[in-house]
Coordinates of all heavy atoms in Angstrom, one line a residue:
L10 N -4.0 13.1 3.7 CA -4.4 13.5 5.1 C -3.8 14.8 5.5 O -4.5 15.7 6.1 CB -3.9 12.4 6.1 CG -4.6 11.1 6.0 CD1 -3.8 10.0 6.7 CD2 -6.0 11.2 6.6
R11 N -2.6 15.1 5.1 CA -2.0 16.4 5.4 C -2.7 17.6 4.7 O -2.9 18.6 5.3 CB -0.5 16.4 5.1 CG 0.3 15.5 6.1 CD 1.8 15.7 6.0 NE 2.5 14.7 6.8 CZ 2.6 14.8 8.1 NH1 2.0 15.8 8.8 NH2 3.3 13.9 8.8
Q12 N -3.1 17.3 3.5 CA -3.8 18.4 2.8 C -5.2 18.6 3.4 O -5.6 19.8 3.6 CB -4.0 18.0 1.3 CG -4.8 19.0 0.5 CD -4.1 20.3 0.4 OE1 -2.9 20.4 0.3 NE2 -4.9 21.4 0.4
R13 N -5.9 17.6 3.8 CA -7.2 17.7 4.4 C -7.0 18.4 5.8 O -7.8 19.2 6.2 CB -7.8 16.3 4.6 CG -9.2 16.4 5.3 CD -10.2 17.0 4.4 NE -11.5 17.0 5.1 CZ -12.4 17.9 4.9 NH1 -12.2 18.9 4.1 NH2 -13.5 17.8 5.6
H14 N -5.9 18.1 6.5 CA -5.6 18.8 7.8 C -5.5 20.3 7.6 O -6.1 21.0 8.3 CB -4.3 18.2 8.3 CG -4.1 18.5 9.7 ND1 -3.4 19.7 10.1 CD2 -4.3 17.8 10.9 CE1 -3.3 19.7 11.4 NE2 -3.8 18.6 11.9
L15 N -4.8 20.7 6.5 CA -4.7 22.1 6.3 C -6.0 22.7 5.9 O -6.3 23.9 6.3 CB -3.7 22.3 5.1 CG -2.2 22.0 5.5 CD1 -1.3 22.1 4.2 CD2 -1.7 22.9 6.6
E16 N -6.8 22.0 5.1 CA -8.1 22.6 4.7 C -9.0 22.8 6.0 O -9.7 23.8 6.1 CB -8.8 21.6 3.8 CG -8.2 21.5 2.4 CD -8.7 20.4 1.6 OE1 -9.7 19.7 2.0 OE2 -8.2 20.1 0.5
I17 N -9.0 21.8 6.9 CA -9.8 21.9 8.1 C -9.3 23.0 8.9 O -10.2 23.8 9.5 CB -9.9 20.6 8.8 CG1 -10.6 19.5 8.0 CG2 -10.6 20.7 10.2 CD1 -10.5 18.1 8.5
L18 N -8.0 23.2 9.1 CA -7.5 24.3 9.9 C -7.9 25.6 9.3 O -8.3 26.5 10.1 CB -6.0 24.2 10.0 CG -5.4 23.1 10.9 CD1 -3.9 23.2 10.9 CD2 -5.9 23.4 12.4
A19 N -7.9 25.8 8.0 CA -8.3 27.0 7.4 C -9.8 27.3 7.7 O -10.2 28.4 8.0 CB -8.0 27.0 5.9
R20 N -10.6 26.2 7.5 CA -12.0 26.4 7.8 C -12.3 26.7 9.2 O -13.1 27.6 9.5 CB -12.8 25.1 7.4 CG -14.3 25.2 7.5 CD -15.0 23.9 7.1 NE -14.7 22.9 8.1 CZ -14.9 21.6 7.9 NH1 -15.5 21.2 6.8 NH2 -14.7 20.7 8.8
L21 N -11.6 26.1 10.2 CA -11.8 26.4 11.6 C -11.3 27.8 11.9 O -12.0 28.5 12.7 CB -11.0 25.4 12.5 CG -11.6 24.0 12.5 CD1 -10.6 23.1 13.3 CD2 -13.0 23.9 13.0
N22 N -10.3 28.3 11.3 CA -9.9 29.7 11.5 C -10.9 30.7 11.0 O -11.2 31.7 11.6 CB -8.5 30.0 10.8 CG -7.4 29.3 11.5 OD1 -7.4 29.1 12.8 ND2 -6.3 29.0 10.8
K23 N -11.5 30.3 9.8 CA -12.6 31.2 9.3 C -13.8 31.1 10.2 O -14.4 32.2 10.5 CB -13.0 30.6 7.9 CG -14.2 31.3 7.3 CD -13.8 32.7 6.7 CE -15.0 33.2 5.9 NZ -15.7 34.3 6.5
I24 N -14.2 30.0 10.8 CA -15.3 29.9 11.7 C -15.0 30.7 12.9 O -15.9 31.5 13.4 CB -15.5 28.4 12.1 CG1 -16.2 27.7 10.9 CG2 -16.5 28.3 13.3 CD1 -16.3 26.2 11.0
D25 N -13.8 30.6 13.5 CA -13.4 31.4 14.7 C -13.6 32.9 14.4 O -14.1 33.7 15.2 CB -12.0 31.1 15.1 CG -11.9 29.8 15.8 OD1 -13.0 29.2 16.3 OD2 -10.8 29.3 16.0
A26 N -13.1 33.3 13.2 CA -13.2 34.7 12.8 C -14.7 35.2 12.7 O -15.1 36.2 13.2 CB -12.5 35.0 11.5
D27 N -15.5 34.3 12.1 CA -16.9 34.6 11.9 C -17.6 34.7 13.3 O -18.5 35.6 13.5 CB -17.6 33.6 11.0 CG -17.2 33.7 9.6 OD1 -16.6 34.7 9.2 OD2 -17.6 32.8 8.8
L28 N -17.3 33.8 14.2 CA -17.9 33.8 15.5 C -17.5 35.0 16.4 O -18.2 35.4 17.3 CB -17.6 32.5 16.2 CG -18.3 31.2 15.7 CD1 -17.7 30.0 16.4 CD2 -19.8 31.3 15.9
S29 N -16.3 35.5 16.1 CA -15.8 36.7 16.9 C -16.2 38.0 16.3 O -15.9 39.1 16.9 CB -14.3 36.6 17.1 OG -13.7 36.7 15.8
E30 N -17.0 38.0 15.2 CA -17.4 39.3 14.6 C -18.4 40.0 15.5 O -19.1 39.4 16.3 CB -18.1 39.1 13.2 CG -17.1 38.8 12.1 CD -17.8 38.6 10.8 OE1 -19.0 38.8 10.7 OE2 -17.1 38.3 9.8
Q31 N -18.4 41.3 15.4 CA -19.3 42.2 16.1 C -20.7 41.8 15.8 O -21.1 41.6 14.6 CB -19.0 43.7 15.8 CG -19.9 44.6 16.5 CD -19.3 45.0 17.9 OE1 -18.1 44.7 18.2 NE2 -20.1 45.5 18.8
K32 N -21.6 41.7 16.8 CA -23.0 41.4 16.6 C -23.8 42.6 16.3 O -23.5 43.7 16.9 CB -23.5 40.6 17.8 CG -22.8 39.3 18.2 CD -22.7 38.4 17.1 CE -21.9 37.1 17.4 NZ -21.3 36.4 16.4
S33 N -24.8 42.5 15.6 CA -25.7 43.6 15.2 C -26.5 44.0 16.4 O -26.9 43.2 17.2 CB -26.7 43.1 14.1 OG -27.7 44.1 13.9
P34 N -26.8 45.3 16.6 CA -27.6 45.7 17.7 C -29.1 45.4 17.5 O -29.9 45.5 18.5 CB -27.3 47.3 17.8 CG -26.9 47.6 16.4 CD -26.2 46.4 15.8
D35 N -29.5 45.1 16.3 CA -30.9 44.9 16.0 C -31.3 43.5 16.5 O -30.6 42.5 16.2 CB -31.1 44.9 14.4 CG -32.5 44.6 14.0 OD1 -33.4 45.4 14.4 OD2 -32.7 43.6 13.3
F36 N -32.4 43.4 17.2 CA -32.8 42.2 17.9 C -33.1 41.0 16.9 O -32.6 39.9 17.1 CB -34.1 42.4 18.7 CG -34.5 41.2 19.4 CD1 -33.8 40.7 20.5 CD2 -35.6 40.5 19.0 CE1 -34.2 39.6 21.2 CE2 -36.1 39.3 19.6 CZ -35.4 38.9 20.8
E37 N -33.7 41.3 15.8 CA -34.0 40.3 14.7 C -32.7 39.8 14.1 O -32.6 38.6 13.9 CB -35.0 40.8 13.7 CG -36.4 41.0 14.2 CD -37.3 41.5 13.1 OE1 -37.0 41.3 11.9 OE2 -38.4 42.0 13.5
D38 N -31.8 40.7 13.8 CA -30.5 40.3 13.3 C -29.7 39.4 14.3 O -29.1 38.5 13.9 CB -29.7 41.5 12.9 CG -30.1 42.2 11.7 OD1 -31.0 41.6 10.9 OD2 -29.7 43.4 11.4
Q39 N -29.9 39.8 15.6 CA -29.2 39.0 16.6 C -29.7 37.6 16.7 O -28.9 36.6 16.8 CB -29.4 39.7 18.0 CG -28.5 40.9 18.2 CD -28.8 41.5 19.6 OE1 -29.6 41.1 20.4 NE2 -28.0 42.6 19.8
A40 N -31.0 37.4 16.5 CA -31.6 36.1 16.5 C -31.1 35.2 15.3 O -30.7 34.1 15.5 CB -33.1 36.2 16.4
T41 N -31.0 35.9 14.2 CA -30.5 35.2 13.0 C -29.0 34.9 13.2 O -28.5 33.8 12.9 CB -30.7 36.1 11.7 OG1 -32.0 36.3 11.5 CG2 -30.1 35.4 10.5
Q42 N -28.3 35.8 13.7 CA -26.8 35.6 14.0 C -26.6 34.5 15.0 O -25.7 33.7 14.8 CB -26.2 36.9 14.4 CG -26.0 37.9 13.3 CD -25.5 39.2 13.8 OE1 -25.6 39.6 15.0 NE2 -24.9 40.0 12.9
A43 N -27.5 34.4 16.0 CA -27.4 33.3 17.0 C -27.6 31.9 16.3 O -26.8 31.0 16.6 CB -28.3 33.5 18.1
E44 N -28.6 31.9 15.4 CA -28.8 30.6 14.7 C -27.6 30.3 13.9 O -27.2 29.1 13.8 CB -30.0 30.7 13.9 CG -31.3 30.7 14.7 CD -32.6 30.9 13.8 OE1 -32.4 30.8 12.5 OE2 -33.6 31.2 14.3
N45 N -27.1 31.3 13.2 CA -25.9 31.0 12.3 C -24.7 30.6 13.2 O -23.9 29.7 12.8 CB -25.5 32.3 11.5 CG -26.5 32.6 10.4 OD1 -27.3 31.7 10.0 ND2 -26.5 33.8 10.0
D46 N -24.5 31.2 14.3 CA -23.4 30.8 15.2 C -23.5 29.4 15.7 O -22.5 28.7 15.8 CB -23.4 31.8 16.4 CG -22.9 33.2 16.1 OD1 -22.4 33.4 15.0 OD2 -22.9 34.0 17.0
E47 N -24.8 28.9 15.9 CA -24.9 27.5 16.3 C -24.5 26.6 15.2 O -23.8 25.6 15.5 CB -26.4 27.3 16.7 CG -26.9 27.9 18.0 CD -28.3 27.6 18.3 OE1 -28.9 26.6 17.8 OE2 -28.9 28.4 19.0
V48 N -24.8 26.9 14.0 CA -24.4 26.1 12.8 C -22.9 26.1 12.7 O -22.3 25.1 12.5 CB -25.1 26.6 11.5 CG1 -24.5 25.9 10.3 CG2 -26.6 26.4 11.6
L49 N -22.3 27.3 12.8 CA -20.9 27.4 12.7 C -20.2 26.6 13.8 O -19.2 25.9 13.6 CB -20.4 28.9 12.8 CG -20.7 29.8 11.6 CD1 -20.4 31.2 11.9 CD2 -20.0 29.2 10.4
E50 N -20.7 26.7 15.0 CA -20.1 25.9 16.1 C -20.2 24.4 15.9 O -19.3 23.7 16.2 CB -20.8 26.3 17.5 CG -20.4 27.7 17.9 CD -21.2 28.2 19.1 OE1 -22.1 27.4 19.6 OE2 -21.0 29.3 19.6
E51 N -21.3 24.0 15.3 CA -21.4 22.6 15.0 C -20.4 22.2 13.9 O -19.8 21.1 14.0 CB -22.9 22.2 14.5 CG -23.1 20.8 14.3 CD -24.5 20.4 14.0 OE1 -25.4 21.1 14.6 OE2 -24.8 19.5 13.3
F52 N -20.3 23.0 12.9 CA -19.3 22.7 11.9 C -17.9 22.7 12.5 O -17.0 21.9 12.1 CB -19.3 23.8 10.8 CG -20.4 23.7 9.8 CD1 -20.9 24.8 9.2 CD2 -20.8 22.4 9.4 CE1 -21.9 24.7 8.2 CE2 -21.8 22.3 8.4 CZ -22.4 23.4 7.8
G53 N -17.6 23.6 13.4 CA -16.3 23.6 14.1 C -16.1 22.3 14.9 O -15.0 21.7 14.9
Q54 N -17.1 21.8 15.6 CA -17.0 20.5 16.3 C -16.7 19.4 15.4 O -15.9 18.5 15.7 CB -18.3 20.3 17.1 CG -18.4 21.2 18.3 CD -19.8 21.1 19.0 OE1 -20.6 20.4 18.6 NE2 -19.9 21.8 20.1
V55 N -17.4 19.3 14.2 CA -17.2 18.3 13.3 C -15.7 18.4 12.7 O -15.1 17.4 12.6 CB -18.2 18.4 12.1 CG1 -17.8 17.5 10.9 CG2 -19.6 18.1 12.6
G56 N -15.3 19.6 12.5 CA -13.9 19.8 12.0 C -12.9 19.3 13.1 O -11.9 18.7 12.7
E57 N -13.1 19.6 14.3 CA -12.2 19.2 15.4 C -12.2 17.7 15.5 O -11.1 17.1 15.7 CB -12.7 19.8 16.7 CG -12.5 21.3 16.8 CD -11.0 21.7 17.0 OE1 -10.2 20.9 17.3 OE2 -10.7 22.9 16.7

Side-chain angles (χ1 to χ4, degrees):
L10 290 164
R11 292 193 184 283
Q12 180 61 37
R13 181 69 180 146
H14 193 275
L15 291 173
E16 291 169 5
I17 293 170
L18 284 178
R20 185 177 69 192
L21 291 175
N22 286 334
K23 174 77 170 105
I24 288 170
D25 284 343
D27 289 348
L28 288 172
S29 65
E30 283 183 2
Q31 183 81 21
K32 304 301 179 207
S33 170
D35 180 61
F36 182 74
E37 288 181 24
D38 286 346
Q39 285 179 359
T41 301
Q42 288 172 338
E44 289 176 11
N45 290 342
D46 286 353
E47 286 179 26
V48 170
L49 288 174
E50 287 171 2
E51 187 172 325
F52 282 148
Q54 290 172 355
V55 168
E57 291 287 342

